[in-house]
Amino acid sequence: MADIFWADTTQARERLANTVVMYDGEPVLVLDILNGDDYDDRVPRAHIQYCAKISDTPQRKRLDSPKFNKFRDLPPLGFLNDPKYGAVLLERRAARSRLHGLCDTNVACFYFSKENGYEIRRMDGGWKRYYPSEGFIESCQDVFPTLEEVLLNIKETTSIAFSRKFAVYRDDLGLRWLYRNEQRIGLFPNAKSLCLISKFKFYREEIMAEPKFTLDSIQEY
Amino acid sequence: MTSKFMDTYRKNNSKVKEIPGLKLNRPLYTGNVPLGTLGIELEMEGRGLINTDGAVADLSGSSTGARWSAKHDGSLRNGGIEYVLTTPCSVAEIDPLVTGLFDKLKLAGSRIENSNRCSTHVHVNVGAQRINKLTSIIVLWGIFEEFLIRWHGVNRTRNHFCLSFKDSKTTLNSWLGMLRNGQFPNQDSGAKYSALNILPLWRFGSFEFRCGQEPDDPAKVILWGKFLHYLVQYAVNKYENPNQIAYDISDKTAIVLLEEICSQDPALLPFYKEIIHGETDRSFNEGCMESFRSVQALCYEFPWDDWLPLIGKEYVPNPFAKQERVAMR
């Protein structure tokens, strides 16, 4: 019997159908699990669609493929960039569910609200909107605009992420704020330095370790 | 004439900012704290598993009276039974209780055939601890969590029934929310499905560690239970101030901290070696440091130095006050 990781096809379907997992380093939507009895090798198949090519014809992949890595790899979550809402934050939620892969039940989505200044708000149904998006694929591939580009180009009351963990929000007064996930932790007084809010100065080391943070100067206030 | 405003201002604002609606010296768990420290739940599947309490009734903790109870669990299949200790056992009792249960199963001709539905959950009694030491336990766990889950094998890694801090911030945000706003974690938040489940604190006075592997081997269950006991003991005895952990992980390094935890019982030294197996000192320390960063807000964001004298005050419940706020939402 092939090692499909799950106890049987029924369990695999229960855990994976209509969720997003990684296959060969790319996020894929599992449409269904197909019974192995229909194949000469008796190995069940995952009927999958690449999130990057959601309108293409789905493909069938052996469930025991090492490219699934026993389903231990899930798409990395965090900020992504969306043309309409700017920086959008996807966060995994622990939830009572049989589903192993990512789906609406276990991923919460947040965006910067124009009405509420620097508060970020939950977006209902955000996961379904974003998993097939270009922004999500780029985020999975860790592709973001550089911090310099962001600081120079960001418009008032908009936000842009420069990594999965960090984003810049420019408020209606023109101030550029640094966000670490949903938390506002610093201010960019200009395009060359960051002023960390005193309460969050302990993030300095983490920010310095972030390859996408390319400024040399961090002050504390 | 000089303005006296700043003097008045400083005086008026010199009071330590506490957690809204939460007395710092009030224990979060207000029930009776049991004698034992470890509550164990073993989820098993197989053929002919003992399914009555009577068949395991003669196994009993000598000092705590802890016994096994066999329960049917809806999440298990194929004759699955969950063996649960009726009351927490002491760390000295874990060995005879767990070994005794496996011996009973063997004698009864039971055939254990665990699947990925099975796991080991360990509750560690923390009911007597206050908010500072509970926070220290969470931070210390968070530092080693990834490596500890890895020890339990692929079935428990990224398992959606026991997510790590790296997988989901649900538990961390719940605790941070309490420290920031005095808001107790929502019992329906899904935080239960975390490797460290903090929710039983308000009900049983315990933290539940849910990432234990399927109970195939009694020796591993015993090792795991002992390790968790000593991890909690270490945090409680050493870290009155959670902030100190941040200094120690930088100063001593994570590998030394783990060694110190495991040195509390010689039986844990092989466990220590298994945890760091395949890692260099550097890769282990870097991995732990990365994990620490996900929980560092617990150490740094709050004025622990100012809070400690308030936390240390004796708590005297007011017998005439209205019923105190119910801990769970």
Side-chain angles (χ1 to χ4, degrees):
Chain A
M1 171 80 179
D3 179 11
I4 63 167
F5 183 77
W6 306 103
D8 49 37
T9 312
T10 308
Q11 194 195 46
R13 187 175 293 126
E14 184 182 278
R15 301 288 166 89
L16 300 173
N18 296 311
T19 70
V20 175
V21 298
M22 294 296 268
Y23 177 81
D24 199 17
E26 289 192 57
V28 294
L29 173 68
V30 179
L31 298 167
D32 198 6
I33 301 298
L34 308 172
N35 207 311
D37 295 344
D38 299 334
Y39 299 92
D40 291 343
D41 56 18
R42 319 282 291 173
V43 179
R45 299 298 202 264
H47 199 207
I48 62 166
Q49 206 149 27
Y50 283 89
C51 294
K53 302 165 193 166
I54 211 73
S55 50
D56 283 9
T57 309
Q59 300 182 25
R60 291 168 188 190
K61 302 291 181 189
R62 284 172 60 127
L63 219 54
D64 63 347
S65 167
K67 292 178 179 176
F68 280 120
N69 189 26
K70 298 181 189 292
F71 304 93
R72 297 307 90 186
D73 301 330
L74 294 175
L77 296 181
F79 278 116
L80 58 84
N81 285 315
D82 172 56
K84 183 175 178 187
Y85 287 96
V88 168
L89 179 65
L90 299 179
E91 271 192 349
R92 176 80 191 257
R93 288 294 157 104
R96 183 187 173 86
S97 165
R98 290 178 175 174
L99 298 167
H100 169 77
L102 300 182
C103 59
D104 237 2
T105 314
N106 57 31
V107 179
C109 180
F110 302 89
Y111 70 106
F112 288 86
S113 160
K114 284 177 188 169
E115 292 86 40
N116 252 353
Y118 59 81
E119 286 208 343
I120 67 173
R121 281 189 180 179
R122 188 159 178 166
M123 182 192 292
D124 289 333
W127 170 251
K128 282 184 182 158
R129 180 188 180 113
Y130 288 112
Y131 80 77
S133 72
E134 194 176 62
F136 178 64
I137 305 302
E138 286 192 354
S139 174
C140 287
Q141 294 166 342
D142 206 18
V143 174
F144 289 90
T146 64
L147 178 56
E148 285 80 358
E149 276 180 287
V150 173
L151 291 173
L152 288 172
N153 293 293
I154 190 165
K155 304 288 182 203
E156 287 169 7
T157 70
T158 67
S159 56
I160 306 174
F162 61 93
S163 80
R164 279 198 289 267
K165 199 180 270 182
F166 296 102
V168 179
Y169 175 76
R170 189 168 184 193
D171 67 17
D172 53 352
L173 301 173
L175 298 174
R176 296 164 177 85
W177 297 98
L178 172 67
Y179 275 75
R180 178 191 182 272
N181 300 324
E182 61 276 84
Q183 205 166 32
R184 185 175 61 153
I185 63 168
L187 176 72
F188 294 97
N190 52 55
K192 290 186 178 169
S193 63
L194 168 69
C195 192
L196 269 179
I197 295 169
S198 173
K199 192 177 177 184
F200 301 117
K201 62 186 179 190
F202 60 87
Y203 285 125
R204 170 190 277 266
E205 208 178 311
E206 182 181 312
I207 294 168
M208 295 300 279
E210 166 63 60
K212 293 180 188 303
F213 184 86
T214 45
L215 308 187
D216 295 326
S217 167
I218 300 183
Q219 296 147 19
E220 290 159 17
Y221 180 75
Chain B
M1 186 175 165
T2 54
S3 168
K4 290 181 182 160
F5 173 77
M6 285 314 294
D7 290 338
T8 315
Y9 177 84
R10 271 192 287 268
K11 198 176 162 189
N12 289 348
N13 290 282
S14 62
K15 204 177 165 203
V16 176
K17 194 185 170 199
E18 296 181 44
I19 303 172
L22 195 72
K23 285 179 188 162
L24 284 167
N25 60 338
R26 181 182 181 273
L28 292 175
Y29 174 65
T30 50
N32 294 325
V33 178
L35 191 63
T37 57
L38 294 165
I40 300 171
E41 302 168 6
L42 304 175
E43 295 175 335
M44 290 189 189
E45 287 180 357
R47 280 177 276 176
L49 295 178
I50 295 168
N51 59 9
T52 57
D53 293 354
V56 286
D58 57 328
L59 287 173
S60 166
S62 53
S63 60
T64 60
R67 291 171 194 276
W68 291 109
S69 175
K71 295 179 184 298
H72 290 276
D73 183 318
S75 68
L76 301 173
R77 302 281 181 275
N78 306 325
I81 296 287
E82 185 178 19
Y83 298 98
V84 182
L85 283 180
T86 53
T87 190
C89 69
S90 69
V91 70
E93 291 168 348
I94 184 173
D95 207 326
L97 279 169
V98 173
T99 311
L101 177 67
F102 275 78
D103 288 347
K104 288 266 181 197
L105 289 167
K106 201 173 173 184
L107 270 174
S110 308
R111 193 160 163 175
I112 300 170
E113 292 168 344
N114 289 329
S115 74
N116 61 13
R117 287 177 285 262
C118 306
S119 60
T120 300
H121 298 171
V122 178
H123 285 254
V124 182
N125 184 354
V126 293
Q129 307 309 328
R130 294 193 180 172
I131 205 161
N132 55 326
K133 292 190 176 178
L134 293 168
T135 304
S136 293
I137 295 167
I138 295 170
V139 173
L140 204 58
W141 165 260
I143 289 172
F144 302 113
E145 185 182 57
E146 287 292 313
F147 289 102
L148 295 172
I149 294 175
R150 189 178 73 176
W151 182 77
H152 288 287
V154 71
N155 277 346
R156 305 308 286 168
T157 305
R158 308 210 80 175
N159 185 307
H160 60 289
F161 292 117
C162 58
L163 295 170
S164 67
F165 288 145
K166 198 172 170 185
D167 293 326
S168 164
K169 296 183 187 70
T170 307
T171 292
L172 183 65
N173 286 344
S174 295
W175 198 262
L176 281 168
M178 185 177 71
L179 294 175
R180 286 174 188 151
N181 315 314
Q183 191 175 51
F184 287 118
N186 186 342
Q187 292 286 317
D188 300 322
S189 66
K192 173 182 176 180
Y193 300 101
S194 304
L196 167 56
N197 172 19
I198 57 171
L199 300 180
L201 172 65
W202 286 270
R203 207 165 173 185
F204 303 117
S206 63
F207 279 164
E208 182 192 23
F209 297 86
R210 294 171 54 87
C211 58
Q213 60 197 283
E214 54 275 25
D216 292 329
D217 179 358
K220 288 205 160 186
V221 175
I222 294 165
L223 216 50
W224 181 234
K226 283 186 175 178
F227 172 76
L228 291 173
H229 168 81
Y230 286 111
L231 174 98
V232 168
Q233 285 304 303
Y234 187 83
V236 165
N237 294 335
K238 201 143 188 274
Y239 296 117
E240 188 86 23
N241 187 338
N243 198 281
Q244 185 60 38
I245 302 177
Y247 289 104
D248 279 359
I249 193 176
S250 288
D251 192 24
K252 289 184 174 181
T253 72
I255 203 161
V256 173
L257 290 184
L258 184 69
E259 195 177 2
E260 285 183 8
I261 292 166
C262 294
S263 300
Q264 294 174 94
D265 184 339
L268 288 176
L269 290 174
F271 176 82
Y272 164 76
K273 286 182 182 159
E274 285 177 29
I275 292 293
I276 61 169
H277 178 73
E279 300 290 332
T280 61
D281 285 11
R282 186 175 173 174
S283 67
F284 183 81
N285 287 332
E286 283 178 356
C288 289
M289 184 53 91
E290 198 184 317
S291 298
F292 170 71
R293 285 191 182 128
S294 65
V295 293
Q296 64 180 337
L298 294 173
C299 299
Y300 292 124
E301 201 184 309
F302 306 97
W304 291 110
D305 289 331
D306 296 333
W307 281 359
L308 282 178
L310 301 172
I311 291 169
K313 281 185 182 170
E314 188 184 356
Y315 177 69
V316 183
N318 179 356
F320 303 107
K322 283 183 189 171
Q323 191 179 1
E324 288 211 51
R325 179 176 153 184
V326 178
M328 291 179 289
R329 277 197 295 143

